[in-house]
Amino acid sequence: MTNPLSQAETPLLTMLCKCARENHAPFYTPGHKRGVGISEKLVDVLGKAVFTADLAELTELDNLFAPSGVIAQAQQLASEAFGAARTWFLVNGSTCGVEAAILATCSTGDKIILPRNVHSSVIAGLVLSGAMPIFINPEYDAVLDIAHSITPESVAAALQQHPDAKAVLMVYPTYYGICGDIAAIANITHRYNIPLLVDEAHGAHFAFHRQLPMPALQAGADICVQSIHKTLGAMTQASMLHVQGDRVNYDRVSQALQLLQSTSPSYILMASLDAARSHIAIYGKELLSRTLQLADIARKRIQQIPGLSVLDFSNFSYLSTLNKFNQFNITQDLTRLTVRVWELGLTGFAADEILETEFGVRSELASWQNVTFIISLGNTQEDIEKLVQGLIKLAQRFITSALDINHQKGEIINLFDINHQIAMSPRQAFFAATETVEIDKSCDRICAEIICPYPPGIPILMPGEIITQSSLNYLQKIQVLGGNMTGCQDTSLQTLKVVAVLSSLIGV
Ligand SMILES: Cc1ncc(COP(=O)(O)O)c(C=O)c1O
C-alpha cells in the first residue's frame, strides 16, 4: 500500500490537535477531563495545553491495537521514513519492543543466540517467552574496559553448535555507540533461515545521515527496535518496532505487543512519535550534520586536554588495542562521546559526580574508566562549551593524582571473565520456589532474580544462573565504586534471592 501522505504531514498529531480544540462535554477517560481536574501545581509546571491533548481512544483518534485511521497512517509514514515493511508505535519504550521481538520469534524451550551485554529488557523477554539463552561474549577491550559487539565469527560458531536456534539477537549500537558487523551477522543468521532481531535502541537516527553507521534494517535485520526518545525528538518512552521480510510472523508481533502494552496508550506519546518522524524525515540531514559537527568540535577539543582521551576508532594512534578491532567491520556513532578519565587517577563514577555537582554537566553513563555523553539534535553550542570547560577544570584539578592509577587498575575485574553457567531457563527460575539467603551463603546456588548494576547496565546474574564467586566479587566491587544495583529485591546486596533447594533439584 502506498501512502498518499507526504513526510511533511503528521496525521495523528493533526487529529489530536483537532480533537483537543473541539468544544464538547467529555464523559470519558481520563478523569481530569482535558485538564479541568488537574492539580494547579501540575498545571503551573507543565501548562494547560498538554492536558487538553491528553485524550483517550476517541473514534477519530484510531486504536493502537487495531489501527485503521490516523495511527495506521502515522505508522505507515514511519515505516517509509525508516525503511521498514511495517512499523508499530510503542508507548512502553524499547523495553516492550525487545520483549515483543523475542515473544514473536521464540516459544518455551526454543534457543536464542545473544550477547552477554544485553539490556535487562532482553532478560525480561526470556522470562516471558521461556526461551533458552545461548550467550556469546562480545569483543571486550581490556584497556578501556568496554564491551563492544559480537562478531560474525562468534555467531557462526554458535549457530554451528546450535543449528536449531530460533533467532539471533544483537545490540547495535552498544551504549558507547560501537556498531558490529551487522551485515555479515545478518547474512550468517539468514543461512539458517532464522531472523536477526536487533536492539537498536540507541540508533534511531542512523537512517537519516550517511556519516552515521548503517541502519539495522538496511543491513538486513528482520526486526529492529528503536527508542525514538533516546536520540530523536520524541517524548520519553516513545519508541518504534520495525519489521521487514518474511522470516517473522507480523501477526504474532501485534499479539505480543498487545500483551505487553497498556490498553490506554498515551496519545501524547504517540503524537510525539508522529512529529519526531516528520521532523527527522524532512530536516534530518541538516539537523544531524549540525549534531555531528558539534560532536566533532567537542571530540577534538577534549582530545587536546592533558589526561583525557576520547573513544575514537578512526584515531589509530589512540590506543593500540583498538587497532585490532579495525580488522573487523566495526563502525562508530560519532555523536556519542566516551571520555576516558582514568589517566587522571579518577574513576568514571567520581568524575561524573564532580562534573554534575560542580560544573553543571550531566552525562548519560559513567563506568569504571569513562564517562559517556550523548550529543543529539537538541544540544547547543553552549552545552558543548560547558562540557569542554567542565572537563578542562576537572583535568586541571586531578592531573597530579594520576599516580594512583596503577593501584586501581589492578583491581578491575573483566566482566566477561565471570564464569556464567545456566542451570535452568530464566523462566523456570523466575517461577520456581525461592528463598532469600545472605550473600556469603549464596555461592553455587541458582539465582532467582536479575542483578543488574548501573553502570554498566549489564545483568551480571540472571534467573537460572549459578551464582559464582567471580560474579559476587564483581557486584561488590561496583557497589564500592558507587554503582547501584537494580532488578534485585535487596539493592544493598546483603541478601540474594535464590531458587529453593527442592526446586533446584527437580528443575522446576
Ligand atoms: C541497549 C538498550 N536496549 C533497550 C533499552 C530499553 O529502552 P527504553 O528505555 O526505550 O525502554 C535500553 C534503555 O536504556 C538500552 O540501553
Side-chain angles (χ1 to χ4, degrees):
M1 180 180 72
T2 50
N3 200 334
L5 300 178
S6 79
Q7 290 294 329
E9 287 171 274
T10 51
L12 180 55
L13 175 67
T14 306
M15 185 57 79
L16 188 63
C17 292
K18 189 163 172 252
C19 292
R21 278 197 289 265
E22 189 194 272
N23 186 14
H24 62 259
F27 292 102
Y28 50 82
T29 61
H32 63 68
K33 304 292 162 87
R34 306 201 284 171
V36 176
I38 286 286
S39 133
E40 278 306 316
K41 269 191 186 170
L42 197 56
V43 173
D44 285 349
V45 178
L46 299 182
K48 221 152 188 147
V50 67
F51 300 106
T52 337
D54 183 24
L55 294 170
E57 282 156 322
L58 304 180
T59 322
E60 310 90 302
L61 288 178
D62 206 2
N63 181 327
L64 180 61
F65 301 110
S68 60
V70 286
I71 293 182
Q73 288 173 341
Q75 290 188 153
Q76 169 80 14
L77 283 166
S79 68
E80 287 162 16
F82 286 87
R86 186 159 164 196
T87 293
W88 285 258
F89 283 2
L90 312 175
V91 291
N92 291 7
S94 288
T95 298
C96 79
V98 168
E99 291 165 356
I102 297 172
L103 273 177
T105 51
C106 299
S107 303
T108 303
D110 284 347
K111 291 179 188 168
I112 177 169
I113 293 170
L114 68 175
R116 183 76 204 179
N117 56 338
V118 287
H119 182 257
S120 53
S121 55
V122 174
I123 312 305
L126 297 176
V127 170
L128 291 168
S129 65
M132 191 55 128
I134 308 293
F135 284 113
I136 44 185
N137 281 337
E139 287 296 300
Y140 177 73
D141 188 322
V143 174
L144 300 181
D145 188 34
I146 288 179
H148 298 305
S149 174
I150 49 176
T151 61
E153 291 74 18
S154 59
V155 173
L159 279 167
Q160 203 166 22
Q161 216 185 334
H162 302 277
D164 53 341
K166 290 292 189 286
V168 172
L169 182 146
M170 76 181 286
V171 183
Y172 177 96
T174 64
Y175 224 135
Y176 302 98
I178 304 304
C179 298
D181 190 350
I182 187 171
I185 291 175
N187 238 320
I188 292 162
T189 305
H190 292 162
R191 274 186 222 147
Y192 291 77
N193 200 25
I194 58 170
L196 176 65
L197 323 180
V198 180
D199 176 351
E200 203 179 16
H202 292 269
H205 52 310
F206 288 178
F208 303 97
H209 201 287
R210 58 183 174 73
Q211 277 168 26
L212 291 167
M214 181 186 285
L217 285 170
Q218 198 183 320
D222 298 86
I223 299 187
C224 78
V225 183
Q226 300 175 330
S227 296
I228 308 299
H229 67 95
K230 288 194 198 297
T231 56
L232 295 178
M235 291 178 77
T236 298
Q237 281 186 221
S239 300
M240 292 185 195
L241 184 153
H242 309 287
V243 175
Q244 67 179 351
D246 55 8
R247 294 182 195 89
V248 173
N249 179 338
Y250 292 22
D251 288 339
R252 199 159 144 184
V253 174
S254 289
Q255 283 168 2
L257 285 172
Q258 200 158 350
L259 280 182
L260 297 163
Q261 300 207 84
S262 165
T263 56
S264 308
S266 161
Y267 276 86
I268 293 179
L269 294 188
M270 291 190 283
S272 84
L273 283 172
D274 199 21
R277 180 271 313 151
S278 175
H279 191 220
I280 200 69
I282 293 174
Y283 305 110
K285 195 169 162 219
E286 181 189 327
L287 290 167
L288 291 168
S289 292
R290 198 183 133 272
T291 307
L292 281 159
Q293 204 184 352
L294 285 180
D296 191 49
I297 293 169
R299 175 175 282 103
K300 288 192 175 125
R301 288 182 65 192
I302 297 166
Q303 268 159 350
Q304 302 303 317
I305 303 173
L308 296 183
S309 47
V310 186
L311 180 63
D312 188 349
F313 277 89
S314 63
N315 183 355
F316 281 81
S317 60
Y318 172 48
L319 278 172
S320 59
T321 54
L322 284 183
N323 293 343
K324 138 174 136 68
F325 293 108
N326 262 318
Q327 295 159 10
F328 307 116
N329 225 345
I330 278 189
T331 49
Q332 185 175 3
D333 174 6
L334 292 172
T335 65
R336 201 148 288 210
L337 285 186
T338 292
V339 178
R340 181 171 151 97
V341 295
W342 194 246
E343 266 74 37
L344 294 178
L346 278 177
T347 64
F349 310 117
D352 192 42
E353 196 176 329
I354 296 167
L355 285 171
E356 182 181 324
T357 53
E358 297 188 36
F359 305 125
V361 173
R362 287 197 188 227
S363 73
E364 169 66 15
L365 173 81
S367 54
W368 299 115
Q369 307 185 23
N370 307 290
V371 188
T372 300
F373 305 88
I374 296 180
I375 299 178
S376 69
L377 40 84
N379 280 113
T380 61
Q381 221 152 356
E382 292 76 60
D383 296 336
I384 301 297
E385 196 53 43
K386 212 162 178 176
L387 169 64
V388 173
Q389 290 306 327
L391 287 169
I392 288 173
K393 287 181 202 140
L394 183 84
Q396 280 167 350
R397 185 184 312 170
F398 286 96
I399 192 77
T400 50
S401 56
L403 293 175
D404 285 348
I405 207 78
N406 287 334
H407 165 68
Q408 291 182 29
K409 214 170 195 163
E411 293 176 11
I412 288 184
I413 305 166
N414 177 348
L415 177 61
F416 300 102
D417 280 347
I418 297 171
N419 177 19
H420 299 284
Q421 280 174 43
I422 297 180
M424 53 176 65
S425 78
R427 182 183 177 86
Q428 282 171 318
F430 184 87
F431 288 109
T434 60
E435 58 186 307
T436 299
V437 296
E438 311 245 313
I439 191 158
D440 50 10
K441 302 216 170 67
S442 66
C443 202
D444 297 332
R445 299 290 301 266
I446 301 173
C447 191
E449 58 187 348
I450 298 174
I451 306 181
C452 181
Y454 272 90
I458 298 168
I460 302 305
L461 280 164
M462 57 185 82
E465 281 191 339
I466 296 174
I467 299 170
T468 58
Q469 196 54 53
S470 56
S471 52
L472 294 177
N473 291 346
Y474 183 88
L475 289 169
Q476 287 172 327
K477 188 75 205 300
I478 292 208
Q479 214 176 18
V480 167
L481 285 171
N484 297 317
M485 297 302 141
T486 67
C488 47
Q489 198 171 256
D490 176 3
T491 51
S492 72
L493 227 55
Q494 281 166 350
T495 59
L496 294 183
K497 198 160 103 179
V498 297
V499 171
V501 175
L502 191 60
S503 292
S504 45
L505 289 177
I506 60 175
V508 176

